[in-house]
């Protein structure tokens, strides 16, 4: 049996990414990402765009979410795996620091995992619900 911590199975790699994010362990999160990762936040999302490199992802997305939101979390609950493709149905929860308004919204994440690393990520979320919690 393969150890979860070293497994290269796509769903295990993605799960380690969520666990590292939840723990605020950006080093462990970067370790799940390929050097040439492409991480796309959906158009209309506050951090919309494509980020490249593990440092670009953590600095451009995770650190910025932490700066603007209290207790930002992605609660992964359902995994659908087909080869290197992993789709995760999840929920974002947080409270915007500037407004004090909460967000609780369903999301879908699509990951492509090759060679034990995430090479591509794409987010699907109701961006209006996120923006409703933000300053005007």
């Amino acid at each position: 049996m393969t150890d979860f911590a070293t497994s290269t199975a796509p769903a295990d790699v993605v799960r380690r990414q969520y666990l590292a994010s939840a723990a605020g362990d950006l080093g462990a999160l970067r370790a799940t990402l390929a050097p040439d990762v492409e991480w796309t936040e959906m158009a209309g999302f506050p951090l919309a765009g494509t980020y490249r490199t593990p440092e670009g992802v953590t600095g451009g997305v995770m650190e910025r979410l932490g700066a603007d939101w209290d207790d930002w979390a992605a609660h992964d609950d359902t995994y659908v795996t087909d080869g290197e493709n992993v789709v995760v149905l999840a929920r974002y929860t947080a409270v915007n620091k500037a407004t004090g308004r909460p967000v609780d919204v369903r999301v879908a994440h699509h990951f492509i995992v090759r060679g034990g690393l995430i090479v591509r990520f794409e987010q699907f979320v109701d961006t209006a619900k996120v923006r409703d919690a933000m300053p005007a």
Side-chain angles (χ1 to χ4, degrees):
M1 177 176 240
T2 303
D3 182 14
F4 172 76
T6 59
S7 170
T8 59
D12 290 344
V13 173
V14 169
R15 180 69 179 138
R16 284 197 305 272
Q17 179 272 151
Y18 281 106
L19 292 171
S21 179
D25 187 344
L26 297 184
L29 193 150
R30 283 189 292 271
T32 67
L33 304 176
D36 59 347
V37 65
E38 290 187 3
W39 186 280
T40 302
E41 299 286 323
M42 189 169 179
F45 191 70
L47 305 175
T50 299
Y51 301 83
R52 291 174 174 79
T53 77
E55 294 76 18
V57 171
T58 55
V61 180
M62 283 59 175
E63 290 177 11
R64 289 175 58 197
L65 288 171
D68 295 337
W69 299 85
D70 283 323
D71 302 318
W72 183 274
H75 309 274
D76 53 322
D77 56 38
T78 303
Y79 284 64
V80 180
T81 304
D82 181 19
E84 65 186 13
N85 292 282
V86 180
V87 174
V88 179
L89 304 179
R91 178 173 300 285
Y92 289 151
T93 59
V95 175
N96 186 272
K97 290 182 180 181
T99 66
R101 291 192 292 259
V103 66
D104 185 342
V105 62
R106 292 290 289 164
V107 300
H109 292 156
H110 174 223
F111 295 86
I112 298 176
V113 179
R114 289 188 190 121
L117 296 171
I118 296 165
V119 297
R120 185 159 182 241
F121 165 87
E122 188 173 7
Q123 169 203 59
F124 301 90
V125 61
D126 183 345
T127 59
K129 288 193 176 206
V130 176
R131 291 202 173 273
D132 284 349
M134 297 175 63

